[in-house]
Amino acid sequence: MPGAIHAEGLVKTFGDVKALDGVDLDVPEGTVLGLLGPNGAGKTTTVRCLTTLLRPDSGTAVVAGIDVLKHPDAVRRNIGLSGQFAAVDEYLTGRENLQMVGRLYQLKAAAAKARAEELLEQFHLVDAADRPTKTYSGGMRRRLDLAAALVVSPPVMFMDEPTTGLDPRNRQQLWEVIKQLVSGGTTLLLTTQYLEEADHLAHDIAVVDQGRVIAQGTSDQLKARTGGERVEVVVHEREHIPTAAEVLRGFGKGDTTVEEHTRKLTVPVTGGAKLLAEVIRELDTRGIEIDDIGLRRPTLDDVFLSLTGHVAELTAEENGANGSGDPAAKEPRQQKEAAK
């Protein structure tokens, strides 16, 4: 049985650029799917297609049991969306913005006012509630935009890089809000470039590159594909690098990388702290003095490099969305339209 969010073979092109090249997704009800990938991989275009802001060239999509292409209005009534850029009215106050969204969702005036007060408190915006949002900082606008997406507590939520621009404290607060939503039965598709965020929130992760889903699994499963754990060693003398590399090759489960200028060597391993102790003993036996040694998990860059073969970089998806005249360039206005 398909999940609360289900897509098969989504394709979307902008001129000569194929932003989506057959995306398949399935998100069970009451879970979080983290959509990861380099800039321009197709994450935002996927969200726009699933939330009716863009019409895919081909493929099918069902959200909250509703066909996205056949019944877009019904889909909009059952979703919440926080896009990549905050879509708030700069000339209204924070309180007025939230009340307006409530009224667009056909809440009665009293209910819209009460819900606005709850969200202002939840997102720590009470002190700025009666200021025009054009005076808000970027982080405050982001929090207000997220609050607006939660006005009606929809069964399905889409959040496109929701914590971009937030400081660590506000990011943690948002994570708690998301956990509360999901524990209450909300299904969430979350795009992010922070693997830590996916670690905290996502039940499953899909990695997208060049418009395709190239890997899917839990955070631990994806990290394991890049080597699981890594031993990093910084030797004291540059002349000891070849011998240290030989030692690490004996313990490693993959290629040893060497940064000559920092005298740092890195190798993927399995075995945890016990293996690290063995590495230290062998280096000491060989007479290799070290400045630093440690065991670490793969980073998001490690995952990207392993799965995509390149680091994150801007591609035509963002360029097309910001200057080519395609519908994606109108995202902030369309987000408000989606609430109607």
Side-chain angles (χ1 to χ4, degrees):
M1 181 177 177
I5 302 172
H6 183 77
E8 290 185 12
L10 289 184
V11 173
K12 182 64 183 177
T13 59
F14 299 113
D16 295 331
V17 178
K18 185 169 282 188
L20 299 183
D21 190 16
V23 168
D24 298 324
L25 294 173
D26 192 71
V27 189
E29 185 176 346
T31 67
V32 180
L33 175 70
L35 204 59
L36 302 182
N39 289 335
K43 304 186 301 296
T44 296
T45 300
T46 298
V47 169
R48 289 170 176 159
C49 288
L50 292 173
T51 57
T52 78
L53 294 177
L54 284 177
R55 186 178 180 88
D57 300 328
S58 62
T60 61
V62 176
V63 174
I66 305 166
D67 190 297
V68 171
L69 299 181
K70 294 180 179 178
H71 306 290
D73 289 342
V75 170
R76 293 169 190 151
R77 287 193 290 269
N78 286 273
I79 65 172
L81 169 63
S82 177
Q84 200 169 41
F85 305 99
V88 297
D89 191 314
E90 293 189 343
Y91 294 95
L92 297 180
T93 67
R95 178 177 281 108
E96 289 168 343
N97 266 281
L98 295 179
Q99 290 177 358
M100 176 187 69
V101 173
R103 296 294 283 157
L104 289 173
Y105 275 111
Q106 300 182 356
L107 295 181
K108 292 183 178 180
K113 181 178 180 181
R115 183 57 175 155
E117 295 302 321
E118 292 174 4
L119 291 167
L120 290 167
E121 182 72 33
Q122 187 174 19
F123 283 87
H124 304 278
L125 291 169
V126 173
D127 291 343
D130 296 312
R131 284 167 38 196
T133 56
K134 65 182 179 180
T135 67
Y136 283 19
S137 67
M140 292 170 67
R141 291 188 187 201
R142 193 63 176 146
R143 281 148 54 199
L144 181 64
D145 182 68
L146 292 168
L150 300 175
V151 164
V152 294
S153 300
V156 179
M157 277 288 302
F158 294 86
M159 293 186 176
D160 193 6
E161 299 192 14
T163 60
T164 299
L166 297 186
D167 59 36
R169 178 185 176 187
N170 285 318
R171 182 172 294 154
Q172 290 281 350
Q173 291 172 345
L174 177 61
W175 288 353
E176 291 305 314
V177 170
I178 291 174
K179 289 178 181 178
Q180 292 170 14
L181 283 172
V182 176
S183 67
T186 299
T187 304
L188 173 63
L189 189 149
L190 168 80
T191 78
T192 181
Q193 297 219 30
Y194 303 114
L195 190 56
E196 180 188 10
E197 190 158 272
D199 278 335
H200 277 78
L201 301 174
H203 297 89
D204 208 19
I205 295 171
V207 180
V208 180
D209 191 39
Q210 297 181 354
R212 292 177 175 269
V213 177
I214 61 171
Q216 188 162 355
T218 67
S219 177
D220 286 341
Q221 288 170 340
L222 293 179
K223 290 177 182 180
R225 292 182 59 167
T226 67
E229 297 173 320
R230 282 161 164 67
V231 168
E232 285 188 351
V233 179
V234 178
V235 299
H236 186 68
E237 299 290 344
R238 197 177 304 276
E239 62 193 46
H240 288 156
I241 288 178
T243 307
E246 181 184 341
V247 170
L248 293 182
R249 278 194 295 270
F251 292 97
K253 300 297 181 181
D255 295 336
T256 301
T257 60
V258 178
E259 298 178 10
E260 293 279 351
H261 63 292
T262 60
R263 307 183 308 282
K264 182 170 74 174
L265 301 91
T266 306
V267 66
V269 299
T270 57
K274 181 179 178 181
L275 180 135
L276 182 63
E278 294 175 2
V279 172
I280 293 172
R281 282 195 295 269
E282 183 63 21
L283 291 170
D284 186 59
T285 299
R286 298 286 193 101
I288 301 173
E289 185 179 355
I290 59 176
D291 290 341
D292 192 22
I293 188 168
L295 187 70
R296 69 168 177 85
R297 303 292 300 279
T299 65
L300 181 57
D301 283 344
D302 295 328
V303 174
F304 279 171
L305 286 169
S306 174
L307 295 176
T308 71
H310 59 80
V311 297
E313 60 184 33
L314 185 67
T315 67
E317 181 189 359
E318 280 78 12
N319 290 335
N322 290 318
S324 66
D326 74 73
K330 303 173 184 176
E331 181 190 37
R333 178 180 61 80
Q334 289 186 345
Q335 285 177 13
K336 292 179 182 177
E337 292 296 324
K340 295 183 179 180

